Amino acid sequence: MLNDTLISLYQPRQMLRALQLLPAPLTFIQDTFFKERVGATAEAVEVDFYKGKRKLAPFVNMKVNGEVVERDSFVTDTYKPPLIAPEMIITVEDLQKRMAGETIYDGSASSGADRVNRRLGASQAKDLVEMRNSVTRRIEWMCSTLLCTGKIPIKGKGVDQELDLSRYWNYQDLTQDPKTNWDNLEVDIFAQIRKWKRKFVSQSGLTCDIMIFGSNALDRLYANKEWKEQQKYIQTKLGDYQPKIQSEGLMLVGVVLGVEIYTYEEEYLDDQDLDVLGQPKAKQMIDVNKVIISSTQVSNKIIFGLLYMVDGLGTTNIPLVPETFIDKKAKNLLQRLSSRPLPVPTNIDGFITATVCTGGDFLAAKSADGGNRESEADSANAPKKATK
């Protein structure tokens, strides 16, 4: 049933070509902040984290030599990229069953063997899409978790470790002071954005042009007194407040003080946090209470570690490696999709992570108290007028 001609179609080289044509899930964090892809040449990789300074070149007398200056400092750590390797099995029993959407009463004169072969090809394509989406989503999770916490916990079958860069991370917690906590709707959010912009350009030498708001942070933004005042107009001297849907789960909230503000509500199922029924909890890629401050010009990369091919093809360091294993005795076909990604924030100072509010569903809380918090803000706004 699993004939040699059909099997030959599913060698890694052929599968890679097909995989590149399949539609991919949303990868906003990777595409925005980790654009470069690098293949490792050794099992462990040395990673340099730069802490750049904005020094001025020295003046010297015309009659003397130049002045020696110090190089920008950097820290080097050594890591082994973790392995991601989902597998799916296609059995003979699977091929005997009608697939979803398949019509068996179509009058086709094709033989049973032809139907089985079509089902095998369709099943493998479906499984490849599912595994590729899960690997891509895991890499997106690694990048977003790093931005939110400065760490990447790596837990799974036979592995329990953590990539910890938190000692280098620029982290702020605004919830410790009632004057800066966004749960207080009187907080001047525009002043906070200005502070973030100044701090960012000072530490990184880049212009802050993007911020990503978690969903709770966005709720506080919309309910904020000063923000609602500015919302009376589509445009003011402070910015453009017309939301725009960019793609599924991604929205441009507006442009404020030259900074594009996004909310990214792509979700994943957390296999390390189960509910009472033992099912993974659905969570958002960006921590709901946090804001990520950065620049689209920041230079970061994802390093892909070496993968060892079991079919005698040696090693490779490409992002995704599909493999197929045939068990003719059991009449099973196993597919595996492997990757060894390591997100590397080369410029550590290219990010600021801020916790701006406490946990809890802000919209539900407003609904429970009859919307009093919002009406109080509205009444406070009533006498004032924003300047166009």
Side-chain angles (χ1 to χ4, degrees):
M1 186 173 293
L2 300 176
N3 59 71
D4 292 338
T5 301
L6 187 62
I7 291 171
S8 68
L9 297 176
Y10 300 120
Q11 296 304 313
R13 290 186 180 89
Q14 283 75 18
M15 294 170 66
L16 274 173
R17 295 191 188 100
L19 198 59
Q20 292 168 353
L21 300 176
L22 300 175
L26 184 62
T27 53
F28 174 63
I29 300 298
Q30 297 176 58
D31 297 341
T32 305
F33 303 118
F34 296 88
K35 301 183 184 74
E36 186 180 0
R37 304 291 186 268
V38 178
T41 57
E43 178 66 19
V45 296
E46 288 190 347
V47 179
D48 296 331
F49 304 103
Y50 287 87
K51 302 281 285 186
K53 300 177 181 178
R54 306 180 70 185
K55 298 176 292 188
L56 294 175
F59 294 107
V60 296
N61 188 286
M62 291 284 290
K63 297 180 180 180
V64 300
N65 295 328
E67 180 179 336
V68 176
V69 297
E70 294 182 356
R71 292 186 177 89
D72 286 343
S73 60
F74 65 92
V75 178
T76 299
D77 283 344
T78 301
Y79 297 98
K80 287 187 177 182
L83 174 64
I84 302 171
E87 296 178 347
M88 299 188 79
I89 296 176
I90 300 174
T91 67
V92 170
E93 288 75 16
D94 294 330
L95 301 178
Q96 301 287 354
K97 300 174 184 176
R98 183 181 70 86
M99 298 185 64
E102 180 184 9
T103 302
I104 58 175
Y105 304 108
D106 58 0
S108 173
S110 60
S111 66
D114 288 339
R115 282 198 301 271
V116 167
N117 287 342
R118 285 203 306 270
R119 288 173 184 171
L120 176 59
S123 295
Q124 185 162 24
K126 180 177 178 294
D127 290 351
L128 272 177
V129 170
E130 187 172 336
M131 290 190 294
R132 200 280 302 276
N133 287 354
S134 69
V135 171
T136 302
R137 196 172 291 111
R138 173 63 79 179
I139 299 173
E140 184 78 350
W141 172 86
M142 293 173 73
C143 294
S144 60
T145 300
L146 178 62
L147 298 192
C148 289
T149 66
K151 303 176 182 180
I152 303 177
I154 301 167
K155 297 182 179 182
K157 184 178 179 180
V159 58
D160 186 356
Q161 59 191 65
E162 186 175 65
L163 188 155
D164 189 353
L165 302 179
S166 59
R167 60 191 181 278
Y168 308 127
W169 213 255
N170 299 293
Y171 189 82
Q172 295 181 358
D173 188 352
L174 305 186
T175 65
Q176 301 302 310
D177 185 348
K179 295 180 180 179
T180 60
N181 189 333
W182 286 17
D183 290 334
N184 173 13
L185 302 184
E186 301 291 324
V187 168
D188 189 344
I189 287 181
F190 290 95
Q192 182 59 61
I193 292 176
R194 286 193 293 269
K195 289 179 182 177
W196 280 333
K197 287 185 64 178
R198 286 193 293 266
K199 179 176 176 57
F200 184 83
V201 71
S202 174
Q203 71 182 29
S204 70
L206 300 171
T207 298
C208 173
D209 60 8
I210 186 171
M211 296 184 187
I212 305 175
F213 282 47
S215 58
N216 284 354
L218 183 65
D219 291 341
R220 270 67 168 182
L221 176 71
Y222 281 150
N224 180 266
K225 173 182 174 181
E226 183 61 27
W227 178 268
K228 292 175 69 175
E229 181 68 20
Q230 293 295 321
Q231 288 292 304
K232 292 180 179 179
Y233 307 97
I234 293 177
Q235 288 184 321
T236 73
K237 65 181 181 181
L238 294 180
D240 180 352
Y241 304 98
Q242 241 179 332
K244 298 180 179 68
I245 302 297
Q246 304 295 302
S247 60
E248 201 71 33
L250 177 66
M251 182 177 74
L252 174 64
V253 176
V255 180
V256 179
L257 302 173
V259 179
E260 292 185 347
I261 294 179
Y262 289 89
T263 180
Y264 182 48
E265 298 184 357
E266 177 76 2
E267 290 191 345
Y268 66 95
L269 296 177
D270 189 351
D271 54 4
Q272 299 299 315
D273 189 4
L274 308 181
D275 61 20
V276 293
L277 299 177
Q279 299 299 312
K281 294 181 180 179
K283 296 182 179 180
Q284 294 182 6
M285 287 289 182
I286 298 297
D287 188 308
V288 294
N289 297 318
K290 292 183 179 179
V291 174
I292 308 299
I293 300 97
S294 189
S295 168
T296 55
Q297 302 305 309
V298 71
S299 176
N300 301 299
K301 58 190 174 184
I302 300 177
I303 296 176
F304 288 94
L306 287 176
L307 286 166
Y308 298 88
M309 310 289 285
V310 299
D311 57 2
L313 296 180
T315 61
T316 182
N317 56 14
I318 60 178
L320 293 171
V321 177
E323 295 178 282
T324 300
F325 305 95
I326 307 297
D327 186 340
K328 291 187 177 181
K329 184 175 181 180
K331 297 182 180 179
N332 291 341
L333 182 149
L334 181 145
Q335 294 185 106
R336 177 188 300 153
L337 191 60
S338 303
S339 183
R340 293 188 64 190
L342 179 67
V344 177
T346 309
N347 184 357
I348 290 287
D349 289 332
F351 297 99
I352 299 174
T353 301
T355 301
V356 299
C357 56
T358 56
D361 191 330
F362 184 68
L363 296 179
K366 286 201 304 178
S367 176
D369 68 6
N372 291 334
R373 297 174 72 180
E374 185 172 359
S375 61
E376 289 171 5
D378 287 338
S379 61
N381 287 336
K384 294 186 176 181
K385 292 185 178 180
T387 304
K388 289 186 180 179

